């Protein structure tokens, strides 16, 4: 198994299949807010884990009470050093789902971790440094309702990002509300739990 360290450059790999370990893992829980857009986009966080381990959730949560409606988002961020990767034609992100998911996922471009894996995850990475307008790095991924290790196929944009850059950085977010920026208008809990203590790898071909 191949594992690369952040911030270093390596000779180009020529193996037909490469398993590339994640270089950095992070998690941000946004601040709950009664306004959907504010909760979605505010450069603030109630919790940041720069070297995230254990189980972390990708989530959109909307609750209602006498005090009103509250919105909250949780997102996971991954950095891979791909400077040593030759041109590839396909890629998958392999990771472990620790419980049956309740949310569709998508990978979007990000410049978290300073854009090169050398900076701690910060509040601006929550939304400002995540790209909701460019082509996503995967299609919407619907998990089959079971836990365990799954592989998310990367899109052409994701493959191109690996081929053309030294760093591959992505935000894993909930699809139907978060990526679509669409308030469902009623209480809902869309949650998928990822085990970040297990292997997180890119499978490259």
């Amino acid at each position: 198994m191949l594992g690369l360290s952040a911030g270093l450059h390596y000779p180009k790999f020529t193996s037909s299949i490469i398993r590339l370990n994640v270089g950095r893992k992070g998690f941000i829980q946004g601040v709950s807010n009664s306004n959907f857009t504010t909760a979605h986009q505010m450069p603030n966080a109630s919790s940041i884990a720069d070297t995230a381990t254990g189980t972390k959730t990708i989530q959109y949560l909307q609750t209602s009470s006498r005090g009103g409606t509250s919105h909250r988002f949780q997102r996971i961020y991954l950095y891979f050093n791909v400077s040593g990767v030759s041109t590839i034609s396909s890629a998958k992100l392999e990771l472990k789902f620790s419980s049956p998911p309740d949310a569709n996922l998508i990978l979007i471009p990000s410049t978290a971790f300073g854009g090169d894996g050398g900076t701690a995850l910060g509040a601006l990475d929550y939304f400002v440094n995540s790209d909701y307008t460019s082509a996503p790095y995967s299609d919407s991924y619907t998990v089959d309702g079971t836990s365990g290790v799954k592989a998310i196929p990367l899109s052409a944009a994701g493959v191109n990002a690996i081929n053309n850059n030294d760093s591959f950085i992505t935000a894993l977010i909930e699809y139907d509300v978060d990526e679509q920026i669409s308030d469902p208008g009623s209480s809902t809990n869309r949650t998928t739990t990822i085990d970040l203590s297990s292997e997180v790898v890119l499978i490259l071909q």
Side-chain angles (χ1 to χ4, degrees):
M1 184 174 300
L2 298 171
L4 301 184
S5 299
L8 299 178
H9 293 259
Y10 297 84
K12 295 292 183 180
F13 293 114
T14 57
S15 173
S16 59
I17 299 178
I18 301 168
R19 290 178 62 86
L20 185 62
N21 291 333
V22 68
R24 203 158 188 167
K25 302 171 286 187
F27 166 82
I28 299 179
Q29 176 176 293
V31 176
S32 298
N33 197 280
S34 60
N35 181 275
F36 177 85
T37 301
T38 300
H40 187 263
Q41 302 179 10
M42 71 169 70
N44 203 347
S46 63
S47 176
I48 298 177
D50 176 51
T51 53
T53 58
T55 57
K56 299 296 182 185
T57 56
I58 300 163
Q59 182 189 60
Y60 167 69
L61 175 66
Q62 181 178 148
T63 59
S64 297
S65 66
R66 289 184 179 181
T69 299
S70 177
H71 307 267
R72 189 184 73 189
F73 296 86
Q74 296 182 154
R75 300 161 183 159
I76 289 173
Y77 305 82
L78 303 174
Y79 158 80
F80 294 85
N81 183 334
V82 294
S83 63
V85 176
S86 297
T87 301
I88 60 168
S89 59
S90 67
K92 296 179 180 180
L93 175 66
E94 184 180 274
L95 66 174
K96 183 179 181 181
F97 294 79
S98 63
S99 61
D102 295 320
N104 299 325
L105 310 180
I106 195 166
L107 312 181
I108 64 170
S110 174
T111 56
F113 306 111
D116 61 3
T119 303
L121 194 68
L124 287 179
D125 294 330
Y126 174 70
F127 177 80
V128 174
N129 292 337
S130 294
D131 188 348
Y132 280 74
T133 59
S134 298
Y137 285 164
S138 76
D139 293 331
S140 172
Y141 182 73
T142 302
V143 188
D144 61 9
T146 62
S147 58
V149 176
K150 313 288 182 181
I152 302 174
L154 268 60
S155 63
V159 171
N160 288 338
I162 293 170
N163 284 334
N164 296 315
N165 298 281
D166 288 337
S167 301
F168 178 77
I169 304 171
T170 186
L172 283 73
I173 64 174
E174 187 275 334
Y175 171 73
D176 295 280
V177 177
D178 193 346
E179 197 270 345
Q180 294 291 292
I181 315 180
S182 176
D183 184 349
S186 60
S187 296
T188 186
N189 183 0
R190 300 170 183 262
T191 299
T192 294
T193 305
I194 306 296
D195 184 359
L196 292 179
S197 292
S198 296
E199 275 194 324
V200 178
V201 298
L202 283 176
I203 303 174
L204 310 174
Q205 287 184 281

